[in-house]
Amino acid sequence: MSSRRIIPLLLFMTVLTAGAALGQDKGSVNPKALPPLANPNDPKIGAKELFARKLLPSRGPAHVIGSYVKGCIGGAMPMPLNGDNWQVMRLSRNRSYGHPEMIALIKRLAARARKDAGWPGILVGDIAQPRGGPALSGHASHQIGLDADIWLTPMPDHRLSREEREDMSAVMMVRQDRLDIDPKVFTSGHVLVLRDAAQEPAVQRIFVNAAIKKALCREARDDRSWLSKIRPWWGHDYHFHIRMRCPPGAGECESQPSQSEDEGCKDSDLAYWFSDAVLHPKPPPEPPKPKPPMTLAQMPAACKAVLNAKDAKP
């Protein structure tokens, strides 16, 4: 295989859930290139159209600009498609680029998943586009190379074909009634892998489905301090989402505020997520009007330079 990268609350929930579902969409073995934009300098054009057409990172050292939901990354590093204990999925999406510290963290986690949980390795989902920025589908975040999705399905014990990487589905970890994990597929190994990820000092948050958080609270033993980093969020029932802090010295990076160091395991902490309004939301009286896409002018000014910079060598 080539080494090249081949609100109203209900509206808010709808957007987030749709993004998580898109993360499970199958890819394409023969993806079609996006057509050239008729007028790429149109100030009204969505920034996602511009960033999605950049197939390689910009030259130069890694630097993060802006926030997880409104930013970009220069000098991003590609995640190698294969390692001794990881494989990258959905190559056609071209979202396996990140800050070097994120790439190093994923490699460490892959090794620890084998050592601590006995997994053959991990399956790596989306990190960021070559220059970050908003994507055409699937995420509001993942814009600065400090977010990464890791499948909750252990890596198979063989090198996946290109077809398998595009077509294979992740395993649903949550029971059909959404009140707890499915014990047939969620194991003690999952607890260890999530613990290993949360114990990384540079990790600020890890997003999982509320049922998974509930199971971790029940199953964690001894040192439970890492549970404070595990946060319930919509849609994360096939994968977990790692979010790193801004790297030291990254003055243009906007970090997310620190969360409480409380375990977040009290009944009152989880009650909202298992309420009927969240588990069975009623549709809005009228379909929400789509918001206009974020433009380049609405992003940090330095992202324009990242977008227009020369390509790094493939």
Side-chain angles (χ1 to χ4, degrees), residues 11 15 41 48 55 72 75 85 110 123 129 139 148 153-155 172 183 192 215 223 230 283 299 314:
L11 172 57
V15 171
N41 295 318
K48 62 183 180 181
L55 303 182
C72 59
N85 36 42
L123 297 175
Q129 298 178 127
H139 302 288
T153 307
M155 187 181 85
M172 162 68 88
L192 294 175
D223 176 18
I230 308 288
M299 298 183 67

Side-chain angles (χ1 to χ4, degrees), residues 35-305:
L37 294 169
N39 184 7
N41 295 318
D42 183 349
K44 294 181 181 179
I45 197 166
K48 62 183 180 181
E49 300 287 351
L50 303 172
F51 280 93
R53 284 169 168 77
K54 292 296 181 179
L55 303 182
L56 291 169
S58 62
R59 291 185 189 177
H63 59 288
V64 176
I65 300 163
S67 72
Y68 304 96
V69 297
K70 185 186 289 187
C72 59
I73 178 171
M77 177 181 287
M79 181 75 195
L81 302 184
N82 302 295
D84 291 339
N85 36 42
W86 76 80
Q87 296 185 58
V88 176
M89 305 299 286
R90 303 296 191 263
L91 306 185
S92 60
R93 293 164 71 95
N94 199 34
R95 298 180 188 175
S96 54
Y97 295 82
H99 190 279
E101 292 190 15
M102 172 58 85
I103 302 303
L105 186 151
I106 295 172
K107 292 178 180 180
R108 288 196 302 273
L109 178 60
R112 291 186 69 183
R114 171 173 286 184
K115 176 178 178 289
D116 295 344
W119 282 18
I122 61 174
L123 297 175
V124 182
D126 286 358
I127 307 173
Q129 298 178 127
R131 303 189 190 198
L136 288 174
S137 64
H139 302 288
S141 59
H142 288 261
Q143 294 196 27
I144 55 176
L146 297 177
D147 293 291
D149 288 342
I150 306 297
W151 286 28
L152 285 161
T153 307
M155 187 181 85
D157 60 0
H158 65 278
R159 178 69 61 83
L160 296 172
S161 67
R162 178 65 191 270
E163 289 78 8
E164 288 176 302
R165 293 176 197 246
E166 302 293 352
D167 293 342
M168 176 181 165
S169 294
V171 177
M172 162 68 88
M173 296 287 149
V174 178
R175 215 165 62 189
Q176 190 171 7
D177 64 7
R178 315 293 292 168
L179 295 175
D180 212 325
I181 49 92
D182 181 348
K184 296 190 296 292
V185 292
F186 190 88
T187 69
S188 58
H190 290 89
V191 178
L192 294 175
V193 172
L194 284 158
R195 181 205 65 185
D196 286 348
Q199 286 180 337
E200 285 281 347
V203 169
Q204 185 181 50
R205 284 171 169 78
I206 293 176
F207 300 114
V208 297
N209 182 279
I212 296 174
K213 171 71 176 185
K214 179 180 178 181
L216 296 176
C217 291
R218 184 171 62 233
E219 301 297 331
R221 299 289 183 266
D222 302 323
D223 176 18
R224 293 169 57 90
S225 61
W226 56 274
L227 287 168
S228 64
K229 292 186 182 180
I230 308 288
R231 296 284 149 172
W233 205 248
W234 290 277
H236 293 79
D237 35 21
Y238 294 88
H239 71 277
F240 63 98
H241 177 152
I242 298 173
R243 173 162 293 170
M244 292 183 68
R245 306 176 196 278
C246 288
E252 294 180 281
C253 178
E254 299 174 20
S255 193
Q256 195 170 1
S258 296
Q259 70 271 14
S260 166
E261 294 185 3
D262 185 85
E263 288 182 2
C265 290
K266 298 189 294 290
D267 288 345
S268 57
D269 295 326
L270 296 171
Y272 166 78
W273 296 99
F274 296 106
S275 65
D276 189 64
V278 171
L279 292 178
H280 307 103
K282 296 179 180 179
E286 297 182 7
K289 294 181 180 179
K291 293 176 62 176
M294 179 169 57
T295 65
L296 187 59
Q298 293 171 320
M299 298 183 67
C303 285
K304 184 175 182 179

